[in-house]
Amino acid sequence: MEFEFLSSIITGVLLFIILYLSSASTVKGSAIFCIVLMLVIGAMRYKTLRDRIWIPLISLSLYVLIDGISTFYAVSGKFALSEFLKVLIAFCGAVTLLALSPKNEKVKGQWMATVLAVCVTMGSLISLDIVSDGVINRAVISLFEHVTSDYTGLDSLKDNRLQGIFNNANIQGGFSALGVLLSLGLANASR
């Protein structure tokens, strides 16, 4: 049980780093990394992943495929590809989490919820830190400044709405709300 908890924390931190590095200037590299990671983990945990293929995953795969095909006839292929790569990163993350999650059904749900809650907590903490003293934000930016400069000079409060690291108040609000719901579910499921 301790291993599952520790692995969910580490996976949540890695998921946040991948999301953080999926900004405009680094989305292509992040997509390639996520595809390779998904293929490697999928090959290593093939039997587990094969047993979990069901209608929701097939539907999600078809949606991503249709989204990818739509980039070929888009008016602006460059922007369509950039937006498609974000969807592809999310799909790779979902498949990777499905392959990595424990086999026990009860533990699997708690493991995935913990991974997502850790990821959301980190993103929300950094977003809220931008409008306060910015110590955590400056530390994270200095850690990744050699990879991307997309987050330097963020003005997180625009029109009195918290923009966060996504630079969009609606996305930040949905992201934070997801974390609250996941955390409440985890607290309810705990002993």
Side-chain angles (χ1 to χ4, degrees), residues 1-124:
M1 193 66 170
E2 285 293 319
F3 174 74
E4 281 92 8
F5 180 71
L6 184 60
S7 70
S8 65
I9 300 294
I10 293 170
T11 307
V13 171
L14 292 175
L15 181 63
F16 172 74
I17 291 171
I18 289 170
L19 287 178
Y20 190 81
L21 294 178
S22 296
S23 61
S25 66
T26 58
V27 71
K28 291 178 185 174
S30 293
I32 291 169
F33 175 76
C34 288
I35 291 169
V36 170
L37 184 68
M38 179 188 71
L39 292 174
V40 168
I41 291 176
M44 289 178 6
R45 307 251 329 191
Y46 174 74
K47 186 176 179 192
T48 303
L49 187 59
R50 184 192 64 205
D51 294 341
R52 294 177 178 173
I53 294 177
W54 195 237
I55 294 172
L57 184 60
I58 293 169
S59 301
L60 182 63
S61 302
L62 289 174
Y63 174 80
V64 173
L65 179 66
I66 291 169
D67 194 15
I69 291 171
S70 72
T71 61
F72 290 112
Y73 59 84
V75 175
S76 177
K78 179 181 178 182
F79 296 117
L81 178 64
S82 176
E83 292 304 312
F84 167 69
L85 290 177
K86 295 173 186 175
V87 172
L88 185 62
I89 289 170
F91 174 74
C92 290
V95 172
T96 303
L97 288 178
L98 193 61
L100 284 176
S101 62
K103 292 181 182 180
N104 183 345
E105 287 298 317
K106 183 180 179 190
V107 176
K108 178 174 64 171
Q110 290 177 345
W111 186 87
M112 283 192 179
T114 304
V115 168
L116 295 174
V118 167
C119 177
V120 170
T121 300
M122 291 183 67
S124 297

